[in-house]
Amino acid sequence: MVAIDPVIDPATDLLLLIDIQNDFCPGGALAVADGDAVVPVANALIDRFSHVALTQDWHPAGYSSFASSHSGAEAFSTIGTDHGPQTLWPDHCIQGTAGAAFHPGLTIDRAELVIRKVRYLHWNDAGVGDHHGEIHQ
C-alpha cells in the first residue's frame, strides 16, 4: 500500500466529518464495531484544518425507514416501496436524543458548519436521492 501525504491548504480546504454520533459507536442503537476509534483520528485531523464541518444524522421519531414503523418488521429486513427495495433500520439518531448527539470525545467547537441530514417522516415521492437537510452555523 502506498502512503499518501496530502498537501493541505488551510486557507481553502475543508475537513468534513460524517456522522460521528453516539448511535454509531459501541453501545449505540446502530453501533459500528470500534466506531469510536475514529474519534482521536478525527480530532488530530481537526488540528490540521482551518475549516471544519460536521454532518449529523437527524431522523424524526417514527421515520418510515425504521423497522419499528412497520408492524411485525425486523431491523435489517427489506420491504418494497414505490422507489424499489428499502432496508429497514433500527431506530437511531432520533432528533434531540443522546444517540443523535456527537460523540462526547469529538472536538466540535471548531466546526463552522453542522449539516443535519433530516429525513421526512415518510418517503419522498421525488425519489430516494432527493432529501432535504437543515444547515446550522
Side-chain angles (χ1 to χ4, degrees):
M1 181 176 256
V2 176
I4 298 173
D5 188 16
V7 176
I8 296 170
D9 182 344
T12 60
D13 290 348
L14 170 80
L15 175 64
L16 179 61
L17 299 171
I18 310 294
D19 299 351
I20 305 177
Q21 295 170 254
N22 292 327
D23 269 349
F24 298 128
C25 293
L30 192 53
V32 174
D34 298 319
D36 54 352
V38 72
V39 174
V41 175
N43 286 339
L45 286 170
I46 287 169
D47 291 338
R48 296 184 63 189
F49 285 80
S50 295
H51 305 287
V52 178
L54 309 169
T55 69
Q56 189 175 26
D57 225 15
W58 195 249
H59 300 295
Y63 180 48
S64 57
S65 74
F66 291 161
S68 65
S69 296
H70 302 273
S71 181
E74 297 284 330
F76 307 109
S77 64
T78 302
I79 63 169
T81 72
D82 292 341
H83 307 291
Q86 169 67 50
T87 299
L88 296 178
W89 304 102
D91 292 18
H92 66 280
C93 297
I94 296 173
Q95 297 170 3
T97 65
F102 292 111
H103 185 282
L106 182 65
T107 303
I108 62 172
D109 61 333
R110 296 226 9 259
E112 297 173 281
L113 179 70
V114 173
I115 302 168
R116 285 184 168 164
K117 300 181 300 170
V118 175
R119 303 297 196 272
Y120 294 107
L121 188 58
H122 300 288
W123 285 292
N124 185 339
D125 288 338
V128 73
D130 187 21
H131 296 295
H132 304 279
E134 294 177 1
I135 298 177
H136 301 271
Q137 292 184 347

